[in-house]
């Protein structure tokens, strides 16, 4: 999890920004410092910006709305953008912010606007106003990130901008900043990467993508896998073009090359592919993992059924290992406490692949009996909750093993029971394996 110094007073502030009757408003909730999973009802498995949105929500940079939505297509105002960059980045202040006449002392975003100005992300207009309610154009958002993070173009600006069919619509003042952002893979353009749409208002999904990629450029977040669906819309990513780290001109040796293995669709496991799992070495036996709400538990699960390509060839054989963790799920607008399994590594034989595979949320329950506990793996915090639930303070004689969990328990009258055999897992980002399995 990233460490942010701003807005952290015993917990991390999550910023969900919207408009009410034309007036900018901020919805700020406080969450534990432990990273939270975020599921939004309007961000589906196949939505192009989901990896960007969900990771920033996990890092407590952005959040959804009280109704459980994210509203990915809603435009972002300049005040809202100021709040997001202040939450995402920790750049030092280099100048004093003026008193903008359209940003009164009691305005909700006064502090973040002042901070974003001081750190170089945003400036006012020539007439002295900030225009906080104005929807920020995509080109302004990119210029803001390039300026605030001190990105400078490497080599020819024109060459960097030639990739855009609408290059002529990029304002002169923005050309160097957009070129620098392009070279660092900060620009994300859905559905056509060769079109910038510089003057169109940036949406919440687009801002999430820009900010995610800027954090990647800083080395603070991992780059998306080059063959993932979302990576298709990162301008210049996976094309073998140079990004300022060398003198090449696109010979396939740039910082994010697409290998021939990744290009082979027969070796590709697509996003949305279901995966059945079981607890390692459990066979057909049921072994539950029981955690207290709010806890994170590192664990491994075993692939129960082989994953095949369209030709029926086995790409991931049964018995392969998924390494990951059980994490709390923060479902915006819901009082239901839940958790889900998130895998970030897959081991197939001697090969290890970075992956993102997630399960559907599993809600906490009070319906636990002795049969559920038989042989279960239980955290210490969950064990203290289970005694009163089942009317047996000596459950240590029933459970299989006490395991370690981290994080603050958020409920004392329910537990989350993970039955690996019934988990609904799906591949969140497509990945490729090196070869077809032998068995």
């Amino acid at each position: 999890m990233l460490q942010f110094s701003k807005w952290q007073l015993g917990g991390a502030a999550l910023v969900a920004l919207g408009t009410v009757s034309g007036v900018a408003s901020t919805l700020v909730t406080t969450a534990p410092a432990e990273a939270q999973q975020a599921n939004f009802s309007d961000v589906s498995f196949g939505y192009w910006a989901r990896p960007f949105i969900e990771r920033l929500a996990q890092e407590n940079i952005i959040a959804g709305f009280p109704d459980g939505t994210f509203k990915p297509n809603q435009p972002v105002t300049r005040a809202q953008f100021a709040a997001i960059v202040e939450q995402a980045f920790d750049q030092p202040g280099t100048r004093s912010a003026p008193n903008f006449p359209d940003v009164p002392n009691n305005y909700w975003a006064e502090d973040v606007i002042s901070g974003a100005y001081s750190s170089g992300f945003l400036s006012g207009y020539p007439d002295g106003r900030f225009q906080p309610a104005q929807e920020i154009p995509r080109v302004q958002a990119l210029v803001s990130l390039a300026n605030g993070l001190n990105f400078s173009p490497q080599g020819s600006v024109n060459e960097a901008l030639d990739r855009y069919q609408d290059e002529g619509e990029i304002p002169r003042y923005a050309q160097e900043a957009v070129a620098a952002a392009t070279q660092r893979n900060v620009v994300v353009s859905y559905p056509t990467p060769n079109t910038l749409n510089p003057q169109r208002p940036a949406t919440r999904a687009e801002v999430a993508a820009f900010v995610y990629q800027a954090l990647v450029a800083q080395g603070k977040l991992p780059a998306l896998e080059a063959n993932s669906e979302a990576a298709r819309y990162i301008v210049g990513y996976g094309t073998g073009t140079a990004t300022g780290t060398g003198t090449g001109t696109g010979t396939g040796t740039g910082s994010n090359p697409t290998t021939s293995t990744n290009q082979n669709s027969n070796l590709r496991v697509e996003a949305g592919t279901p995966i059945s799992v079981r607890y390692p070495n459990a066979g057909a036996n049921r072994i539950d993992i029981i955690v207290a709400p709010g806890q994170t538990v590192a664990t491994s699960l075993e692939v129960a059924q082989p994953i095949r390509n369209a030709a029926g060839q086995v790409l991931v054989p049964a018995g392969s290992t998924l390494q990951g963790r059980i994490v709390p799920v923060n479902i915006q607008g819901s009082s239901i406490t839940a958790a889900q399994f998130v895998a970030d590594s897959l081991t197939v034989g001697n090969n290890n692949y970075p992956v993102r595979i997630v399960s559907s949320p599993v809600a906490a329950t009070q319906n636990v009996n002795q049969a559920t506990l038989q042989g279960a793996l239980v955290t210490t915090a969950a064990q203290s909750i289970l005694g009163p639930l089942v009317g047996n303070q000596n459950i240590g004689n029933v459970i299989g093993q006490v395991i370690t969990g981290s994080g603050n328990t958020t409920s004392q009258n329910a537990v989350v029971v993970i039955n690996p055999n019934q988990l609904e897992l799906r591949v969140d980002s497509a990945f490729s394996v090196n070869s077809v399995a032998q068995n």
Side-chain angles (χ1 to χ4, degrees), residues 159-384:
E159 183 177 330
L161 300 181
D162 280 346
R163 68 179 65 238
Y164 300 114
Q165 293 180 351
D166 51 357
E167 174 188 359
E169 298 177 24
I170 302 173
R172 183 178 298 275
Y173 80 86
Q175 289 177 358
E176 287 195 1
V178 171
T182 300
Q183 290 170 341
R184 286 164 178 77
N185 302 132
V186 173
V187 184
V188 183
S189 252
Y190 173 87
T192 51
N194 61 348
T195 303
L196 184 63
N197 292 309
Q199 302 299 342
R200 180 167 58 75
T203 66
R204 284 168 55 81
E206 290 169 338
V207 167
F210 293 165
V211 170
Y212 181 97
Q213 287 300 113
L215 289 165
V216 171
Q218 286 190 305
K220 293 184 176 180
L221 283 180
L224 297 186
E225 192 175 350
N227 66 332
S228 65
E229 179 68 18
R232 294 173 53 192
Y233 310 112
I234 302 172
V235 177
Y237 185 57
T239 61
T241 57
T243 59
T245 58
T247 58
T249 57
T251 62
T253 58
S255 62
N256 294 301
T258 300
T259 66
S260 59
T261 299
N262 287 338
Q263 293 172 343
N264 188 341
S265 60
N266 287 331
L267 300 178
R268 181 179 171 94
V269 180
E270 299 292 347
T273 300
I275 298 180
S276 59
V277 294
R278 62 195 174 211
Y279 194 77
N281 303 316
N285 298 325
R286 170 176 173 171
I287 297 180
D288 291 335
I289 305 171
I290 304 178
V291 305
Q295 285 194 298
T296 295
V297 176
T299 190
S300 296
L301 297 177
E302 190 176 86
V303 175
Q305 298 293 332
I307 300 172
R308 302 176 183 272
N309 60 16
Q313 297 169 309
V314 175
L315 302 181
V316 180
S320 300
T321 303
L322 288 171
Q323 294 89 25
R325 61 207 181 280
I326 297 168
V327 297
V329 178
N330 181 20
I331 303 178
Q332 298 293 329
S334 172
S335 60
I336 298 175
T337 302
Q340 68 183 164
F341 176 70
V342 179
D344 50 27
S345 178
L346 169 66
T347 301
V348 179
N350 294 323
N351 295 311
N352 189 65
Y353 303 100
V355 296
R356 178 168 171 79
I357 298 171
V358 299
S359 76
S360 298
V362 178
T365 181
Q366 296 179 333
N367 185 21
V368 184
N369 54 41
Q370 298 279 355
T372 304
L373 299 179
Q374 190 70 43
L377 308 179
V378 184
T379 66
T380 302
Q383 188 176 12
S384 65

Side-chain angles (χ1 to χ4, degrees), residues 45-46 50 269-275 356 425-430:
F45 266 102
R50 182 181 179 187
V269 180
E270 299 292 347
T273 300
I275 298 180
R356 178 168 171 79
L425 269 73
R426 289 188 180 274
V427 176
D428 196 28
S429 297

Side-chain angles (χ1 to χ4, degrees), residues 17 19 73-85 113 116 121-123 125 130-147 173 196-208 210-211:
L17 302 160
T19 56
N73 297 321
Q74 178 175 293
V76 174
T77 68
R78 281 169 52 84
Q80 293 166 356
F81 187 79
I84 292 171
V85 296
I113 289 172
F121 283 101
L122 291 168
S123 295
Y125 284 86
F130 185 80
Q131 298 191 23
Q134 180 190 74
E135 295 173 351
I136 190 167
R138 282 168 53 88
V139 69
Q140 271 193 28
L142 292 169
V143 170
S144 167
L145 293 171
N147 288 345
Y173 80 86
L196 184 63
N197 292 309
Q199 302 299 342
R200 180 167 58 75
T203 66
R204 284 168 55 81
E206 290 169 338
V207 167
F210 293 165
V211 170

Side-chain angles (χ1 to χ4, degrees), residues 20-70:
V20 179
S21 302
V23 179
S25 64
T26 180
L27 306 176
V28 181
T29 60
T30 299
E34 186 74 27
Q36 299 289 310
Q37 283 295 115
N39 293 312
F40 304 108
S41 60
D42 55 351
V43 179
S44 65
F45 266 102
Y47 185 66
W48 72 270
R50 182 181 179 187
F52 308 114
I53 293 169
E54 288 204 340
R55 183 58 187 266
L56 292 192
Q58 291 168 29
E59 298 293 348
N60 297 337
I61 296 172
I62 58 175
F65 290 81
D67 62 358
T69 63
F70 182 76

Side-chain angles (χ1 to χ4, degrees), residues 97 209 336 389-390:
I336 298 175
L389 285 182
V390 300

